[in-house]
Amino acid sequence: MSLITTDVKDNIFYIQLHGRIDSANAAPVEEEILEAVSSCTCPAVVIDADDLAYISSAGLRVVLRLRKNRPELKIINASSAVYEIFEMTGFTEMIPVEKGYRKLSIEGCEVIGQGANGKVYRLDKDTIVKVYYNADALPEIQRERELARRAFILGIPTAIPYDVAKVGDSYGSVFELLNAKSFSKLIASEPENLDKYVELYVDLLKKIHSTEVKPEDMPDQRAVVIDWVNFLKDYLEPGKWEKLHSMVEAVPVNHHMIHGDYHTKNVMMQNGEVLLIDMDTLSQGDPVFEFASIYNAFVGFYDFDHDAALDFQGFDYDTTISIWRKMLPLYFGTTDPDVLKAVENKSAILGYARLMRRLIRRNGFDTEEGRKLIAHYKNQIETRLDSVDKLQF
Amino acid sequence: MEIKKNREGAKLTVALSGRLDTLTAPQMEEVVKGDLDGVTELSIDLKDLTYVSSAGLRVLLMAQKTMNGKKGTMEICNVCEDIKEVFSITGFADIFTIK
């Protein structure tokens, strides 16, 4: 049986070490490594320690001797225990050693949730892990983690992901277990407290929108919305499209945070404290871009299907409409119907623009239902455009 | 969680023991809001602290920002390995002065 395995990827020669390497097997391991390396023409050799459990000083000497011939040698995927050996012996100062992701087993763990892109397991009394279905989700996980961390440091109350771990062939993000209920659940079970929850919900939204971010820290939502509008060029009346396009271009650049998916399932209450979750859509821009997605979550999605509100939000259509109507005066500090109507028109124009683009991209023209909806979105956008002359509030 | 406070002139030492989580963070928040008047040197001793949740990190961050705001200093000392790991993977090791 082979003590090592090897493969070549992107012109790098990988040597995988397995199990324990100590005085009992160091000599034959060395022999196999030297033989493998002698036939290799790659410019770089990397030791993959992913499956390495322990390495003794006899094993370390093998690595040192290999490095003599291969000065560019580096070690990757070291577990914490193996990394500690390299560190204690001073190896980390001579050879680059990269830690691997912590490995977690979810065997026997309780499943406590399931989303569009992953399953959530309870690891112990304090922590959960969200395991992504897509084995290539790592960059996405890292991105969301970094956004959440930035928001947290800027003072947005959220639960930051602690750690990224390898779970079988997939990756997982480790979070603390929140002992929390979503605003959707709270509103559904305590309709008498609706006003209180809407007030807290708006307070957090204002806090998000008053948080300044560095231009390079979060993506710019304005650019995304310009893309939506450009997509619609051939589908709206030319004059209307021109107006919409120039108004979106005229929205000033704004370096304040927006959440991007601010509905009542993404706001949680834990021991009287309001927390924001689902940070992968964090961006920066004018609040109108946020209100476009809020409009959809409370109104736009359900124009022809009021029952969908119950499926998505957990409460009925009348409640979603009522939340939308209650939150505007609170956020804007006015009950002036003209001001609020303008806010609704601006939010709806961009909200429907997003829905229209999405449906067209999903082959909406192929079905009668789809064509009906697209015509509705178009009509909403074009009618409302008549009564606004700028999109920012 | 237990909080022990020791004030010597402009220096305040706060020793935390047990768990700093969503249930106990408000106690620490009271210290940050109420006991930092005239303090220019804050030392937080975590020798007997076993766990920090994000609510706990939040209140430590609040303390750091308060001290920064008045040009004071804050250090966190006697951090156990588990909590050090939490500071390091959350990026807080770069924000706090950890001794």
Side-chain angles (χ1 to χ4, degrees):
Chain A
M1 194 195 93
S2 233
L3 296 164
I4 62 163
T5 48
T6 62
D7 63 29
V8 175
K9 216 170 20 183
D10 299 329
N11 226 5
I12 298 172
F13 191 75
Y14 290 93
I15 302 170
Q16 291 100 20
L17 303 180
H18 303 283
R20 296 172 56 91
I21 297 182
D22 52 26
S23 54
N25 62 0
V29 166
E30 181 164 22
E31 211 168 291
E32 282 193 26
I33 289 178
L34 291 178
E35 196 189 319
V37 171
S38 69
S39 63
C40 126
T41 53
C42 297
V45 175
V46 169
I47 292 181
D48 184 347
D50 188 52
D51 193 34
L52 182 66
Y54 173 79
I55 184 162
S56 77
S57 53
L60 291 172
R61 283 195 294 275
V62 173
V63 175
L64 268 192
R65 283 195 290 269
L66 175 62
R67 178 173 161 270
K68 262 194 196 155
N69 301 326
R70 288 289 183 169
E72 80 292 345
L73 184 70
K74 105 179 169 173
I75 300 164
I76 60 165
N77 286 329
S79 68
S80 292
V82 166
Y83 185 88
E84 204 170 311
I85 299 173
F86 284 120
E87 195 177 29
M88 267 176 8
T89 52
F91 263 63
T92 46
E93 281 160 41
M94 302 184 284
I95 301 180
V97 182
E98 291 172 14
K99 267 194 192 180
Y101 291 105
R102 184 157 68 103
K103 282 188 196 150
L104 281 177
S105 162
I106 43 169
E107 225 181 281
C109 289
E110 177 198 356
V111 177
I112 56 172
Q114 198 161 348
N117 48 11
K119 233 182 204 179
V120 180
Y121 299 84
R122 184 178 190 139
L123 285 174
D124 57 39
K125 82 180 184 359
D126 291 318
T127 45
I128 56 171
V129 60
K130 177 178 178 185
V131 181
Y132 290 73
Y133 298 132
N134 180 355
D136 298 326
L138 193 56
E140 190 48 37
I141 298 174
Q142 300 284 31
R143 201 185 73 89
E144 178 170 2
R145 223 170 93 87
E146 189 49 30
L147 284 173
R149 200 181 66 83
R150 284 181 188 157
F152 187 95
I153 289 169
L154 290 167
I156 300 300
T158 183
I160 42 174
Y162 278 158
D163 204 358
V164 176
K166 189 111 209 252
V167 184
D169 287 331
S170 305
Y171 290 95
S173 214
V174 181
F175 292 83
E176 72 193 81
L177 177 68
L178 293 178
N179 180 17
K181 258 190 181 169
S182 75
F183 270 46
S184 280
K185 285 203 170 131
L186 289 167
I187 289 169
S189 64
E190 310 164 25
E192 68 282 9
N193 290 326
L194 181 63
D195 286 359
K196 180 184 99 181
Y197 290 125
V198 174
E199 211 168 293
L200 290 169
Y201 180 72
V202 169
D203 283 347
L204 178 59
L205 186 62
K206 283 193 198 167
K207 184 174 170 65
I208 298 167
H209 292 175
S210 64
T211 301
E212 211 175 329
V213 295
K214 290 198 200 109
E216 67 274 17
D217 273 0
M218 287 175 195
D220 179 12
Q221 186 64 13
R222 186 172 166 276
V224 173
V225 175
I226 289 175
D227 270 357
W228 300 348
V229 171
N230 283 337
F231 179 88
L232 295 176
K233 186 167 186 192
D234 299 332
Y235 303 101
L236 296 175
E237 300 303 324
K240 304 279 186 181
W241 182 82
E242 299 285 340
K243 181 173 183 181
L244 175 59
H245 184 253
S246 60
M247 282 196 307
V248 174
E249 294 268 2
V251 174
V253 170
N254 184 331
H255 298 302
H256 286 84
M257 194 186 298
I258 48 185
H259 179 263
D261 198 16
Y262 195 74
H263 53 69
T264 44
K265 286 197 297 191
N266 280 339
V267 181
M268 316 281 285
M269 175 85 98
Q270 171 168 268
N271 299 312
E273 192 188 19
V274 182
L275 293 173
L276 185 64
I277 60 165
D278 241 3
M279 311 296 264
D280 60 325
T281 52
L282 279 191
S283 56
Q284 54 187 311
D286 194 274
V288 72
F289 300 137
E290 184 95 271
F291 274 85
S293 83
I294 295 177
Y295 178 84
N296 285 345
F298 289 111
V299 187
F301 281 143
Y302 322 116
D303 286 348
F304 287 105
D305 182 6
H306 292 188
D307 293 341
L310 192 61
D311 294 339
F312 180 73
Q313 295 278 25
F315 39 73
D316 62 18
Y317 181 70
D318 290 345
T319 309
T320 73
I321 296 295
S322 145
I323 293 173
W324 172 253
R325 296 214 172 114
K326 282 172 192 282
M327 70 182 286
L328 297 190
L330 285 173
Y331 184 93
F332 292 94
T334 177
T335 51
D336 182 338
D338 292 339
V339 173
L340 300 179
K341 189 69 208 163
V343 166
E344 177 162 296
N345 279 330
K346 293 170 183 184
S347 311
I349 289 169
L350 294 179
Y352 288 123
R354 180 182 172 199
L355 293 180
M356 186 170 167
R357 169 183 177 271
R358 192 172 76 150
L359 189 53
I360 293 173
R361 281 163 57 111
R362 294 183 181 177
N363 304 319
F365 281 117
D366 294 354
T367 65
E368 192 172 330
E369 172 72 18
R371 286 189 293 271
K372 185 177 98 183
L373 272 172
I374 292 169
H376 168 70
Y377 298 148
K378 177 175 187 290
N379 178 41
Q380 287 288 330
I381 296 168
E382 292 178 349
T383 314
R384 289 174 192 261
L385 271 170
D386 289 338
S387 57
V388 299
D389 51 18
K390 65 179 173 73
L391 285 171
Q392 61 271 34
F393 298 136
Chain B
M1 186 183 72
E2 204 187 327
I3 301 184
K4 280 192 195 131
K5 293 179 283 191
N6 182 25
R7 174 93 186 240
E8 285 169 44
K11 179 173 180 177
L12 176 69
T13 303
V14 181
L16 306 181
S17 57
R19 294 165 57 90
L20 183 58
D21 57 19
T22 167
L23 293 174
T24 59
Q27 295 172 40
M28 181 61 192
E29 194 174 330
E30 269 175 41
V31 173
V32 175
K33 286 189 172 151
D35 294 316
L36 294 183
D37 263 359
V39 173
T40 57
E41 220 182 303
L42 174 64
S43 173
I44 301 179
D45 185 341
L46 301 188
K47 183 161 76 73
D48 296 313
L49 197 74
T50 54
Y51 175 76
V52 173
S53 77
S54 36
L57 284 173
R58 218 154 32 233
V59 71
L60 292 177
L61 186 65
M62 186 195 287
Q64 181 75 59
K65 285 184 174 170
T66 307
M67 294 311 290
N68 291 352
K70 51 184 183 172
K71 307 244 180 299
T73 61
M74 171 173 136
E75 62 171 41
I76 300 179
C77 46
N78 298 320
V79 187
C80 73
E81 281 306 316
D82 281 353
I83 293 178
K84 222 179 243 171
E85 180 91 6
V86 170
F87 286 156
S88 127
I89 55 194
T90 52
F92 276 73
D94 301 332
I95 294 171
F96 298 140
T97 307
I98 297 166
K99 290 257 160 93

